[in-house]
Amino acid sequence: MQNKTIAELADRWLDEDPGDLTELEQTVLRSAIEKRAVSRDRNEAYEKELTFGERVADEIARVGGSWTFIFAALAFLLLWTVGNSLLLGRDQFDPYPYILLNLVLSMLAALQAPVIMMSQNRQAARDRLDAAHDYQVNLKAEIEILALHDKLDELRRKEILQIRDQLTELASHLQRIEKGAAAESRPE
């Protein structure tokens, strides 16, 4: 890809007008011309960009969406109901129908739901960045494969021309041999 321009590569391999290329496609073509990689570790960059609040939201979403949380919540509910109904007897601090428990669970759900949604929105944005990066890497790989095909085609063309030249040389050599043999076989 020596001495190639983005316009030439866009026309040849992407069948696009250089003015219609996206920034991502231009970056890939530039990297192909400069022979440099486009792949990178997106996780490392992503982790560095997270704020404290985003880290907390992700951790809450991770814990809140786990079997550990579900079993812990079931154990808490069982302890609450058994403790208030059977163990405390008349000294219940939240008698049946457990209005305080309802309030605590409602507040937990009211806080947990938006935090989980924030984490999911951030994960969706990260997935979009990962998809764009995957496209970039795939496009670069496709361009490199096309470049290899071009090189192989050029090598084959040169070999065919060499073989043709050799065949021409052999044919003329054979003609000289045949003329020499014909000249020797003529009666004088």
Side-chain angles (χ1 to χ4, degrees):
M1 283 183 265
Q2 300 160 325
N3 303 324
K4 298 282 185 182
T5 66
I6 290 177
E8 289 172 325
L9 296 181
D11 183 50
R12 182 175 190 148
W13 290 328
L14 301 179
D15 291 328
E16 287 195 37
D17 183 43
D20 295 338
L21 293 176
T22 65
E23 181 61 36
L24 188 123
E25 290 167 335
Q26 289 177 16
T27 301
V28 169
L29 290 175
R30 246 182 258 111
S31 73
I33 291 170
E34 297 167 4
K35 296 184 190 272
R36 62 181 166 79
V38 294
S39 60
R40 61 191 176 282
D41 185 2
R42 296 279 313 143
N43 292 324
E44 192 176 302
Y46 179 78
E47 294 297 324
K48 287 180 182 177
E49 295 173 6
L50 289 178
T51 65
F52 175 75
E54 291 170 335
R55 290 179 202 277
V56 169
D58 286 345
E59 191 60 26
I60 289 172
R62 188 185 64 74
V63 171
S66 69
W67 283 108
T68 303
F69 177 79
I70 290 172
F71 289 134
L74 286 173
F76 172 76
L77 293 173
L78 186 63
L79 182 67
W80 185 285
T81 55
V82 169
N84 270 297
S85 297
L86 303 176
L87 299 177
L88 296 176
R90 282 190 275 173
D91 296 331
Q92 299 172 343
F93 62 90
D94 188 21
Y96 182 81
Y98 312 115
I99 294 172
L100 181 59
L101 176 63
N102 242 341
L103 177 64
V104 168
L105 293 175
S106 295
M107 289 183 346
L108 178 66
L111 292 174
Q112 192 180 22
V115 169
I116 290 173
M117 287 175 64
M118 286 188 301
S119 181
Q120 287 176 336
N121 288 341
R122 201 170 26 270
Q123 185 61 44
R126 182 179 181 182
D127 290 344
R128 284 190 295 277
L129 287 174
D130 286 345
H133 182 253
D134 289 347
Y135 170 73
Q136 189 176 18
V137 170
N138 291 341
L139 182 61
K140 173 77 184 281
E142 189 175 340
I143 286 171
E144 293 295 335
I145 289 169
L146 290 170
L148 286 173
H149 279 285
D150 284 351
K151 287 178 183 178
L152 286 174
D153 290 345
E154 182 61 25
L155 283 173
R156 262 187 259 142
R157 189 184 69 72
K158 285 180 181 178
E159 283 180 353
I160 289 171
L161 290 175
Q162 283 179 335
I163 291 170
R164 185 198 65 194
D165 292 344
Q166 288 172 350
L167 284 174
T168 304
E169 187 179 316
L170 283 172
S172 68
H173 186 65
L174 187 59
Q175 284 176 348
R176 281 193 307 268
I177 291 173
E178 287 176 348
K179 283 181 187 179
E184 287 179 11
S185 65
R186 277 192 222 140
E188 291 183 39

